[in-house]
Amino acid sequence: MLYRFCKGILTLCCMAVLLCPAMARAGQSVAALDKKEQSIIPIAAYTAKGDTAKLKEALAEGLQNGMTVNEIKEVLVQMYAYTGFPRSLTALNTFLALLDERKAHGINDETGRDATPLPDKADMRKIGTQNQTALIGKPAAGRVYEFAPVIDTFLKEHLFGDIFSRDILTFKERELATVSALASLPAEAQLVSHLNCCLVVGWSAEQLHTFAAVLKDKVGRAEGELAEKCLESVLEKRKQAQ
């Protein structure tokens, strides 16, 4: 009896030794993104998918997790560059209706600060080029810009100039919103490109694994697995290039 008891205790101890590191890693993974950052993921994803019922839930959770009205609006406005005006406008109207409901129930959400105004004569081409280079880690180049030069103008002057210069969100937050939307469309080639951008602007590999896990949990298995697959590909290529 004593032998069996001691054997059982030893088995439990061995299991604890094996499980504790895994449990610790899981805890670290959840903590890799704070609540506000995690909230951006389903908001951008459901905007891209056009699922207004799920988006409403994600918007309410974002407010509960400390996002201001202006921060959420900024995510929804940015989404038009990646998902189109119809999705962005639908999302903004969904958010407006939610805010009206909450106000009717006596809930006054924090508006938050507005974007810092740029100088009147700001050179948006120059600013946008600088922002784009900072996001990519090098000057943008490719045959597509020679094939359709106007898209290069729109990207530099409008997306990376007008939109990314609005400092309500950081570059990291904007790229998190972007990859959430791209994984949900889906747009795999662009997702790979922007996961690289995420690493350039300061997201760690661990944080991006968490992004994929949150996407899988809150949005869908297919979206999360696509994000994880693309991330593994990006990390492997960067490792080989070292």
Side-chain angles (χ1 to χ4, degrees):
M1 289 290 293
L2 181 61
Y3 169 77
R4 290 181 180 177
F5 176 77
C6 292
K7 184 179 179 181
I9 293 295
L10 181 60
T11 300
L12 289 173
C13 289
C14 290
M15 290 177 63
V17 169
L18 292 171
L19 288 173
C20 282
M23 293 172 66
R25 285 194 298 272
Q28 290 171 357
S29 179
V30 171
L33 297 176
D34 65 31
K35 287 185 177 181
K36 289 176 66 174
E37 291 163 348
Q38 290 184 45
S39 295
I40 290 172
I41 297 170
I43 288 173
Y46 285 123
T47 297
K49 294 173 78 67
D51 188 334
T52 55
K54 292 290 187 180
L55 174 61
K56 183 178 178 181
E57 294 175 7
L59 293 168
E61 185 176 12
L63 291 168
Q64 183 179 341
N65 287 340
M67 292 188 75
T68 67
V69 171
N70 282 348
E71 286 172 338
I72 292 178
K73 282 197 298 184
E74 199 69 18
V75 172
L76 304 182
V77 169
Q78 179 186 321
M79 286 298 97
Y80 95 79
Y82 297 98
T83 68
F85 273 114
R87 289 285 195 252
S88 178
L89 289 169
T90 298
L92 285 164
N93 277 312
T94 301
F95 189 33
L96 182 59
L98 173 64
L99 292 174
D100 287 343
E101 287 180 19
R102 291 168 67 89
K103 189 173 182 179
H105 287 87
I107 303 172
N108 294 309
D109 296 295
E110 182 184 351
T111 301
R113 67 179 186 83
D114 206 343
T116 304
L118 294 174
D120 291 337
K121 296 183 179 181
D123 185 340
M124 297 315 299
R125 178 79 177 192
K126 180 179 180 181
I127 292 172
T129 301
Q130 291 172 341
N131 288 343
Q132 185 186 46
T133 302
L135 287 160
I136 299 174
K138 59 184 178 181
R143 291 184 63 205
V144 68
Y145 303 122
E146 300 170 7
F147 178 65
V150 70
I151 198 69
D152 188 44
T153 298
F154 292 160
L155 285 169
K156 285 182 168 65
E157 295 183 12
H158 184 50
L159 175 58
F160 297 114
D162 293 327
I163 297 178
F164 271 71
S165 291
R166 291 173 56 81
D167 59 358
I168 295 175
L169 299 176
T170 65
F171 282 3
K172 289 178 67 176
E173 291 166 335
R174 289 190 182 279
E175 281 303 310
L176 183 62
T178 298
V179 292
S180 301
L182 294 175
S184 302
L185 285 172
E188 187 170 338
Q190 291 299 311
L191 174 59
V192 168
S193 295
H194 282 275
L195 284 169
N196 270 302
C197 292
C198 284
L199 292 165
V200 171
V201 299
W203 290 116
S204 68
E206 180 188 5
Q207 288 173 318
L208 292 177
H209 282 302
T210 300
F211 145 69
V214 171
L215 191 66
K216 184 176 181 179
D217 178 57
K218 292 185 175 293
V219 180
R221 179 176 180 177
E223 293 83 355
E225 290 182 350
L226 175 63
E228 183 64 29
K229 183 191 78 170
C230 290
L231 176 58
E232 290 291 352
S233 174
V234 166
L235 294 174
E236 181 60 28
K237 287 182 179 179
R238 291 172 74 93
K239 182 179 178 180
Q240 291 175 0
Q242 290 178 348

XYZ file of all heavy atoms in Angstrom, residues 2-91:
673
model
N 1.881 1.245 0.882
C 2.775 2.399 0.965
C 3.499 2.618 -0.350
O 3.673 3.751 -0.814
C 3.785 2.191 2.112
C 4.773 3.333 2.341
C 4.024 4.619 2.692
C 5.745 2.975 3.474
N 3.889 1.480 -0.979
C 4.604 1.577 -2.257
C 3.709 2.222 -3.315
O 4.131 3.114 -4.062
C 5.035 0.178 -2.709
C 5.549 0.135 -4.133
C 6.832 0.600 -4.443
C 4.735 -0.361 -5.155
C 7.283 0.559 -5.751
C 5.181 -0.396 -6.456
C 6.467 0.066 -6.759
O 6.916 0.027 -8.038
N 2.436 1.778 -3.370
C 1.510 2.325 -4.352
C 1.243 3.808 -4.106
O 1.149 4.609 -5.037
C 0.190 1.557 -4.309
C 0.300 0.130 -4.847
C -1.051 -0.551 -4.805
N -0.965 -1.915 -5.320
C -1.986 -2.763 -5.337
N -3.178 -2.374 -4.851
N -1.833 -3.984 -5.823
N 1.127 4.164 -2.819
C 0.883 5.571 -2.464
C 2.045 6.446 -2.913
O 1.854 7.498 -3.521
C 0.665 5.693 -0.944
C 0.511 7.115 -0.477
C -0.690 7.796 -0.664
C 1.562 7.771 0.155
C -0.825 9.108 -0.234
C 1.429 9.071 0.586
C 0.229 9.745 0.404
N 3.262 5.993 -2.605
C 4.457 6.770 -2.971
C 4.592 6.874 -4.489
O 4.981 7.912 -5.031
C 5.705 6.119 -2.375
S 5.770 6.222 -0.570
N 4.249 5.772 -5.185
C 4.330 5.768 -6.641
C 3.337 6.778 -7.234
O 3.649 7.503 -8.188
C 4.032 4.371 -7.172
C 4.183 4.244 -8.688
C 3.904 2.827 -9.143
C 4.037 2.710 -10.655
N 3.748 1.330 -11.118
N 2.147 6.848 -6.618
C 1.137 7.789 -7.098
C 1.580 9.229 -6.903
O 1.408 10.083 -7.779
N 2.163 9.507 -5.723
C 2.642 10.859 -5.444
C 3.755 11.242 -6.417
O 3.804 12.365 -6.938
C 3.159 10.967 -3.988
C 1.991 10.797 -2.993
C 3.876 12.283 -3.756
C 0.968 11.911 -3.075
N 4.647 10.302 -6.695
C 5.747 10.559 -7.617
C 5.227 10.850 -9.023
O 5.722 11.754 -9.704
C 6.690 9.346 -7.648
C 7.920 9.458 -8.561
C 8.787 10.626 -8.125
C 8.725 8.159 -8.532
N 4.215 10.114 -9.455
C 3.615 10.339 -10.770
C 3.007 11.725 -10.870
O 3.184 12.443 -11.864
C 2.526 9.276 -11.049
O 3.119 7.978 -11.010
C 1.886 9.502 -12.413
N 2.289 12.139 -9.814
C 1.680 13.470 -9.810
C 2.730 14.564 -9.855
O 2.575 15.581 -10.534
C 0.802 13.643 -8.561
C -0.507 12.841 -8.550
C -1.191 12.974 -7.181
C -1.442 13.340 -9.648
N 3.829 14.358 -9.141
C 4.907 15.350 -9.128
C 5.532 15.490 -10.516
O 5.822 16.589 -10.976
C 5.975 14.960 -8.105
S 5.441 15.136 -6.392
N 5.717 14.347 -11.169
C 6.304 14.370 -12.517
C 5.387 15.105 -13.491
O 5.842 15.888 -14.331
C 6.559 12.947 -13.012
S 7.908 12.116 -12.141
N 4.078 14.860 -13.367
C 3.123 15.540 -14.245
C 3.142 17.041 -13.999
O 3.056 17.844 -14.930
C 1.714 14.997 -14.000
C 1.517 13.570 -14.499
S -0.137 12.928 -14.105
C -1.153 14.062 -15.044
N 3.271 17.436 -12.743
C 3.308 18.859 -12.412
C 4.533 19.525 -13.020
O 4.469 20.634 -13.542
C 3.298 19.044 -10.892
N 5.669 18.825 -12.958
C 6.906 19.371 -13.527
C 6.761 19.574 -15.018
O 7.221 20.565 -15.594
C 8.100 18.434 -13.224
C 9.324 18.855 -14.026
C 8.409 18.458 -11.731
N 6.086 18.619 -15.693
C 5.916 18.705 -17.138
C 4.893 19.757 -17.537
O 5.047 20.446 -18.547
C 5.482 17.338 -17.692
C 6.532 16.227 -17.629
C 5.894 14.889 -18.010
C 7.710 16.539 -18.560
N 3.829 19.888 -16.750
C 2.741 20.783 -17.105
C 3.005 22.236 -16.746
O 2.551 23.145 -17.439
C 1.438 20.332 -16.433
C 0.808 19.057 -16.991
C -0.380 18.641 -16.128
C 0.368 19.268 -18.438
N 3.737 22.492 -15.695
C 3.923 23.867 -15.226
C 4.549 24.790 -16.271
O 4.080 25.902 -16.477
C 4.754 23.894 -13.935
S 3.773 23.455 -12.472
N 5.624 24.356 -16.955
C 6.183 25.231 -17.982
C 5.179 25.550 -19.077
O 5.110 26.683 -19.559
C 7.371 24.417 -18.528
C 7.734 23.486 -17.428
C 6.447 23.133 -16.775
N 4.390 24.546 -19.501
C 3.392 24.788 -20.542
C 2.335 25.773 -20.066
O 1.904 26.663 -20.798
C 2.733 23.463 -20.947
N 1.918 25.592 -18.801
C 0.923 26.513 -18.243
C 1.488 27.918 -18.138
O 0.797 28.901 -18.379
C 0.457 26.011 -16.875
C -0.338 24.704 -16.938
S -0.674 24.000 -15.303
C -1.743 25.243 -14.616
N 2.747 28.018 -17.778
C 3.389 29.331 -17.670
C 3.460 30.008 -19.028
O 3.187 31.198 -19.154
C 4.800 29.179 -17.085
N 3.811 29.221 -20.069
C 3.879 29.793 -21.409
C 2.507 30.266 -21.861
O 2.375 31.308 -22.509
C 4.422 28.754 -22.393
C 5.913 28.511 -22.279
C 6.419 27.748 -23.498
N 5.812 26.431 -23.634
C 6.293 25.336 -23.066
N 7.382 25.400 -22.306
N 5.696 24.172 -23.248
N 1.472 29.501 -21.529
C 0.115 29.894 -21.909
C -0.269 31.206 -21.247
O -0.853 32.088 -21.866
C -0.884 28.799 -21.530
N 0.096 31.341 -19.975
C -0.191 32.577 -19.258
C 0.546 33.753 -19.848
O 0.005 34.850 -20.001
N 1.808 33.525 -20.221
C 2.595 34.586 -20.832
C 1.998 34.994 -22.170
O 1.985 36.152 -22.546
C 4.039 34.114 -21.012
C 4.807 33.973 -19.700
C 6.151 33.299 -19.907
O 6.489 32.885 -20.999
N 6.915 33.183 -18.837
N 1.491 33.983 -22.923
C 0.922 34.261 -24.236
C -0.297 35.167 -24.130
O -0.446 36.113 -24.890
C 0.543 32.943 -24.921
O -0.022 33.178 -26.182
N -1.168 34.877 -23.183
C -2.350 35.705 -22.979
C -1.937 37.123 -22.610
O -2.544 38.102 -23.045
C -3.253 35.105 -21.884
C -4.353 36.072 -21.509
C -3.837 33.782 -22.354
N -0.886 37.249 -21.819
C -0.436 38.563 -21.369
C 0.369 39.305 -22.423
O 0.744 40.454 -22.237
C 0.405 38.420 -20.100
N 0.644 38.647 -23.555
C 1.470 39.274 -24.577
C 0.775 40.466 -25.220
O 1.418 41.346 -25.760
C 1.852 38.248 -25.647
N -0.550 40.484 -25.190
C -1.335 41.615 -25.673
C -2.266 42.068 -24.550
O -2.907 41.237 -23.916
C -2.173 41.229 -26.894
C -1.450 40.792 -28.168
C -2.470 40.364 -29.221
C -0.565 41.896 -28.697
N -2.343 43.375 -24.316
C -3.247 43.836 -23.269
C -4.689 43.821 -23.788
O -4.962 43.531 -24.954
C -2.830 45.214 -22.732
C -2.940 46.328 -23.767
O -3.814 46.261 -24.657
O -2.151 47.296 -23.684
N -5.631 44.137 -22.908
C -7.048 44.022 -23.262
C -7.444 44.940 -24.407
O -8.241 44.572 -25.277
C -7.910 44.306 -22.026
C -7.900 43.186 -20.994
C -8.871 43.477 -19.872
C -8.919 42.326 -18.870
N -9.889 42.600 -17.781
N -6.900 46.161 -24.422
C -7.227 47.091 -25.495
C -6.699 46.579 -26.827
O -7.378 46.657 -27.853
C -6.661 48.476 -25.184
C -7.382 49.192 -24.066
C -6.733 50.530 -23.722
C -6.838 51.524 -24.835
N -6.329 52.857 -24.454
N -5.488 46.058 -26.811
C -4.897 45.519 -28.044
C -5.684 44.310 -28.540
O -5.947 44.183 -29.742
C -3.432 45.159 -27.800
C -2.541 46.377 -27.575
C -1.207 46.037 -26.942
O -1.041 44.894 -26.462
O -0.322 46.919 -26.921
N -6.080 43.436 -27.616
C -6.883 42.278 -28.008
C -8.233 42.703 -28.574
O -8.770 42.045 -29.467
C -7.086 41.354 -26.807
C -5.820 40.624 -26.361
C -6.084 39.647 -25.232
O -7.049 38.894 -25.271
N -5.222 39.642 -24.229
N -8.769 43.820 -28.079
C -10.071 44.288 -28.552
C -10.030 44.742 -30.005
O -11.039 44.637 -30.725
C -10.558 45.452 -27.678
O -10.802 45.028 -26.351
N -8.891 45.257 -30.443
C -8.754 45.725 -31.821
C -8.973 44.583 -32.804
O -9.538 44.774 -33.892
C -7.357 46.351 -32.034
C -7.250 47.682 -31.275
C -7.060 46.564 -33.518
C -5.848 48.276 -31.277
N -8.557 43.376 -32.434
C -8.562 42.233 -33.359
C -9.965 41.889 -33.857
O -10.211 41.886 -35.070
C -7.861 41.025 -32.706
C -6.392 41.370 -32.432
C -7.975 39.784 -33.589
C -5.662 40.360 -31.567
N -10.941 41.592 -32.982
C -12.281 41.272 -33.492
C -12.995 42.474 -34.103
O -13.817 42.305 -35.005
C -13.016 40.739 -32.263
C -12.288 41.319 -31.092
C -10.856 41.415 -31.512
N -12.690 43.676 -33.629
C -13.321 44.867 -34.217
C -12.934 44.986 -35.694
O -13.787 45.159 -36.568
C -12.925 46.142 -33.446
C -13.619 46.173 -32.076
C -13.289 47.402 -34.241
C -13.168 47.312 -31.170
N -11.640 44.875 -35.978
C -11.179 44.964 -37.364
C -11.655 43.761 -38.178
O -12.065 43.892 -39.337
C -9.656 45.062 -37.402
N -11.614 42.582 -37.559
C -11.989 41.359 -38.274
C -13.461 41.372 -38.682
O -13.797 41.070 -39.837
C -11.693 40.143 -37.395
N -14.339 41.723 -37.761
C -15.772 41.700 -38.075
C -16.174 42.868 -38.977
O -17.169 42.776 -39.701
C -16.597 41.675 -36.801
C -16.585 40.316 -36.136
C -16.155 40.157 -34.816
C -16.976 39.188 -36.834
C -16.132 38.911 -34.217
C -16.953 37.929 -36.248
C -16.531 37.804 -34.938
O -16.498 36.555 -34.361
N -15.404 43.948 -38.960
C -15.613 45.004 -39.946
C -15.320 44.461 -41.334
O -16.087 44.663 -42.280
C -14.711 46.212 -39.651
O -15.060 46.779 -38.381
C -14.859 47.291 -40.717
N -14.204 43.745 -41.466
C -13.823 43.162 -42.752
C -14.844 42.144 -43.234
O -15.148 42.067 -44.428
C -12.449 42.508 -42.639
N -15.406 41.364 -42.327
C -16.351 40.318 -42.692
C -17.762 40.859 -42.915
O -18.600 40.177 -43.508
C -16.379 39.244 -41.594
C -15.063 38.486 -41.457
C -15.061 37.558 -40.256
C -15.839 36.302 -40.528
N -15.197 35.456 -41.553
N -18.043 42.051 -42.410
C -19.371 42.624 -42.557
C -20.411 41.995 -41.652
O -21.610 42.100 -41.906
N -19.966 41.361 -40.582
C -20.874 40.716 -39.620
C -21.222 41.731 -38.535
O -20.520 41.861 -37.532
C -20.200 39.484 -39.011
C -21.141 38.649 -38.151
O -22.114 39.211 -37.610
O -20.895 37.434 -38.014
N -22.320 42.462 -38.731
C -22.644 43.563 -37.826
C -23.062 43.092 -36.436
O -22.831 43.801 -35.447
C -23.755 44.441 -38.419
O -24.896 43.625 -38.736
C -23.268 45.128 -39.693
N -23.669 41.914 -36.332
C -24.076 41.409 -35.013
C -22.843 41.111 -34.156
O -22.767 41.524 -32.992
C -24.926 40.160 -35.170
N -21.873 40.408 -34.733
C -20.640 40.107 -34.012
C -19.816 41.371 -33.789
O -19.157 41.521 -32.752
C -19.816 39.074 -34.774
C -20.434 37.686 -34.823
C -20.406 37.021 -33.464
C -20.856 35.578 -33.557
N -20.847 34.903 -32.230
N -19.841 42.265 -34.762
C -19.107 43.521 -34.622
C -19.643 44.331 -33.442
O -18.868 44.901 -32.661
C -19.214 44.343 -35.906
C -18.612 45.750 -35.853
C -17.122 45.693 -35.549
C -18.865 46.496 -37.160
N -20.964 44.373 -33.290
C -21.568 45.109 -32.176
C -21.061 44.578 -30.843
O -20.733 45.355 -29.935
C -23.090 45.017 -32.254
C -23.800 45.821 -31.180
C -25.314 45.716 -31.343
C -26.036 46.490 -30.240
N -27.517 46.381 -30.380
N -20.978 43.252 -30.723
C -20.456 42.645 -29.493
C -18.987 43.039 -29.280
O -18.568 43.346 -28.161
C -20.571 41.129 -29.568
C -21.998 40.611 -29.602
C -22.073 39.110 -29.798
O -20.998 38.455 -29.774
O -23.181 38.575 -29.961
N -18.212 43.015 -30.368
C -16.792 43.359 -30.262
C -16.598 44.827 -29.897
O -15.693 45.172 -29.129
C -16.095 43.046 -31.586
N -17.443 45.685 -30.437
C -17.368 47.115 -30.121
C -17.680 47.364 -28.646
O -16.986 48.138 -27.970
C -18.346 47.896 -31.000
C -18.025 47.938 -32.497
C -19.220 48.477 -33.280
C -16.790 48.788 -32.762
N -18.706 46.704 -28.145
C -19.066 46.846 -26.726
C -17.939 46.348 -25.837
O -17.617 46.970 -24.803
C -20.356 46.075 -26.447
N -17.314 45.238 -26.230
C -16.197 44.710 -25.453
C -15.008 45.661 -25.495
O -14.315 45.847 -24.492
C -15.792 43.338 -25.986
C -14.701 42.666 -25.160
C -14.373 41.261 -25.643
O -14.816 40.881 -26.748
O -13.671 40.536 -24.909
N -14.785 46.285 -26.640
C -13.701 47.252 -26.753
C -13.884 48.429 -25.806
O -12.941 48.861 -25.135
N -15.092 48.948 -25.738
C -15.390 50.041 -24.810
C -15.196 49.581 -23.365
O -14.630 50.312 -22.546
C -16.825 50.534 -25.020
C -17.102 51.277 -26.335
C -18.599 51.451 -26.541
C -16.396 52.626 -26.366
N -15.654 48.391 -23.069
C -15.512 47.843 -21.716
C -14.040 47.668 -21.349
O -13.657 47.828 -20.185
C -16.233 46.500 -21.625
C -16.210 45.865 -20.241
C -16.968 44.550 -20.196
O -17.792 44.267 -21.067
N -16.695 43.734 -19.198
N -13.218 47.355 -22.337
C -11.794 47.123 -22.082
C -10.957 48.400 -22.109
O -9.727 48.336 -22.054
C -11.242 46.131 -23.101
C -11.713 44.713 -22.835
O -12.129 44.383 -21.728
N -11.644 43.856 -23.837
N -11.612 49.551 -22.205
C -10.889 50.810 -22.052
C -10.577 51.567 -23.316
O -9.913 52.617 -23.265
N -11.026 51.075 -24.475
C -10.820 51.843 -25.700
C -11.747 53.055 -25.692
O -12.901 52.979 -25.263
C -11.108 50.996 -26.940
C -10.118 49.876 -27.179
S -10.372 49.059 -28.802
C -9.683 50.314 -29.903
N -11.237 54.198 -26.147
C -12.088 55.386 -26.243
C -12.895 55.333 -27.532
O -12.606 54.560 -28.448
C -11.240 56.671 -26.232
O -10.463 56.738 -27.446
C -10.310 56.726 -25.027
N -13.914 56.181 -27.589
C -14.746 56.260 -28.789
C -13.887 56.625 -29.997
O -14.017 56.039 -31.075
C -15.874 57.291 -28.594
C -16.619 57.537 -29.913
C -16.844 56.824 -27.515
N -12.983 57.585 -29.825
C -12.162 58.017 -30.948
C -11.161 56.946 -31.402
O -10.848 56.853 -32.592
C -11.417 59.308 -30.603
C -12.319 60.531 -30.698
O -13.421 60.450 -31.232
N -11.858 61.645 -30.174
N -10.669 56.148 -30.472
C -9.762 55.062 -30.854
C -10.489 54.028 -31.703
O -9.962 53.545 -32.720
C -9.171 54.407 -29.603
C -8.117 55.247 -28.904
C -7.688 54.683 -27.565
O -8.459 53.896 -26.969
O -6.594 55.045 -27.096
N -11.700 53.679 -31.299
C -12.474 52.705 -32.069
C -12.863 53.283 -33.430
O -12.760 52.609 -34.464
C -13.719 52.258 -31.288
C -13.301 51.432 -30.062
C -14.661 51.453 -32.185
C -14.452 50.984 -29.192
N -13.302 54.548 -33.433
C -13.638 55.182 -34.706
C -12.449 55.165 -35.653
O -12.610 54.947 -36.861
C -14.097 56.630 -34.492
C -15.513 56.778 -34.008
C -16.036 58.200 -34.202
C -15.248 59.224 -33.410
N -15.847 60.577 -33.537
N -11.261 55.368 -35.122
C -10.060 55.410 -35.962
C -9.791 54.055 -36.607
O -9.393 53.982 -37.773
C -8.858 55.843 -35.125
C -7.688 56.356 -35.946
C -7.954 57.692 -36.621
O -8.890 58.415 -36.212
O -7.205 58.013 -37.580
N -10.013 52.983 -35.849
C -9.878 51.644 -36.432
C -10.870 51.469 -37.572
O -10.518 50.989 -38.664
C -10.109 50.544 -35.366
C -10.160 49.165 -36.021
C -9.017 50.577 -34.305
N -12.117 51.861 -37.350
C -13.169 51.676 -38.347
C -12.926 52.528 -39.590
O -13.192 52.085 -40.717
C -14.538 51.998 -37.743
C -14.921 51.211 -36.480
C -16.316 51.606 -36.016
C -14.840 49.720 -36.727
N -12.429 53.739 -39.401
C -12.110 54.601 -40.544
C -10.950 54.022 -41.350
O -10.997 53.960 -42.579
C -11.771 56.033 -40.067
C -11.181 56.858 -41.213
C -13.015 56.721 -39.518
N -9.910 53.568 -40.659
C -8.758 52.979 -41.353
C -9.163 51.777 -42.193
O -8.578 51.520 -43.251
C -7.682 52.559 -40.354
C -6.462 51.908 -41.006
C -5.474 51.375 -39.991
O -5.241 52.001 -38.968
N -4.904 50.219 -40.261
N -10.160 51.049 -41.743
C -10.561 49.822 -42.421
C -11.021 50.045 -43.857
O -10.970 49.138 -44.678
C -11.667 49.116 -41.630
C -11.178 48.437 -40.354
S -9.949 47.119 -40.661
C -8.407 47.989 -40.382
N -11.465 51.270 -44.197
C -11.922 51.474 -45.572
C -10.787 51.293 -46.563
O -10.999 50.888 -47.716
C -12.585 52.852 -45.727
C -11.688 53.949 -46.224
C -11.388 54.052 -47.585
C -11.144 54.885 -45.358
C -10.562 55.066 -48.058
C -10.324 55.877 -45.812
C -10.031 55.977 -47.167
O -9.207 56.972 -47.619
N -9.539 51.563 -46.117
C -8.391 51.408 -47.009
C -8.089 49.943 -47.299
O -7.454 49.619 -48.311
C -7.161 52.077 -46.396
N -8.555 49.041 -46.432
C -8.266 47.617 -46.585
C -9.497 46.786 -46.925
O -9.375 45.709 -47.516
C -7.610 47.080 -45.307
C -6.282 47.742 -45.029
C -6.185 48.801 -44.130
C -5.127 47.333 -45.682
C -4.975 49.433 -43.896
C -3.910 47.949 -45.454
C -3.844 49.005 -44.562
O -2.647 49.634 -44.339
N -10.678 47.278 -46.547
C -11.890 46.487 -46.768
C -12.925 47.208 -47.630
O -13.936 46.615 -47.972
C -12.538 46.102 -45.427
O -13.047 47.290 -44.787
C -11.531 45.451 -44.498
N -12.683 48.484 -47.947
C -13.595 49.254 -48.777
C -14.537 50.147 -47.973
O -14.801 49.908 -46.798
N -15.013 51.197 -48.619
C -15.934 52.130 -47.964
C -17.209 51.457 -47.454
O -17.671 51.783 -46.352
C -16.304 53.268 -48.921
C -15.334 54.416 -48.896
C -14.572 54.711 -50.010
C -15.179 55.205 -47.766
C -13.681 55.770 -50.004
C -14.288 56.259 -47.740
C -13.538 56.547 -48.869
N -17.836 50.539 -48.206
C -19.089 49.932 -47.696
C -18.915 49.272 -46.334
O -19.757 49.455 -45.440
C -19.448 48.912 -48.786
C -18.857 49.483 -50.032
C -17.561 50.100 -49.597
N -17.853 48.507 -46.154
C -17.612 47.847 -44.864
C -17.339 48.882 -43.771
O -17.840 48.767 -42.648
C -16.424 46.893 -44.984
C -16.690 45.645 -45.818
C -17.553 44.658 -45.041
N -17.542 43.345 -45.630
C -18.557 42.799 -46.278
N -19.682 43.479 -46.447
N -18.475 41.570 -46.766
N -16.530 49.879 -44.096
C -16.175 50.897 -43.102
C -17.400 51.703 -42.680
O -17.630 51.935 -41.482
C -15.095 51.823 -43.679
O -14.760 52.840 -42.760
N -18.189 52.140 -43.639
C -19.384 52.932 -43.329
C -20.405 52.112 -42.545
O -21.041 52.618 -41.610
C -20.012 53.462 -44.616
C -19.215 54.561 -45.324
C -19.787 54.829 -46.707
C -19.210 55.846 -44.492
N -20.564 50.845 -42.911
C -21.477 49.963 -42.163
C -21.017 49.815 -40.722
O -21.833 49.862 -39.780
C -21.560 48.584 -42.841
O -22.092 48.735 -44.157
C -22.444 47.632 -42.044
N -19.715 49.652 -40.538
C -19.165 49.508 -39.187
C -19.354 50.784 -38.374
O -19.714 50.733 -37.187
C -17.685 49.153 -39.271
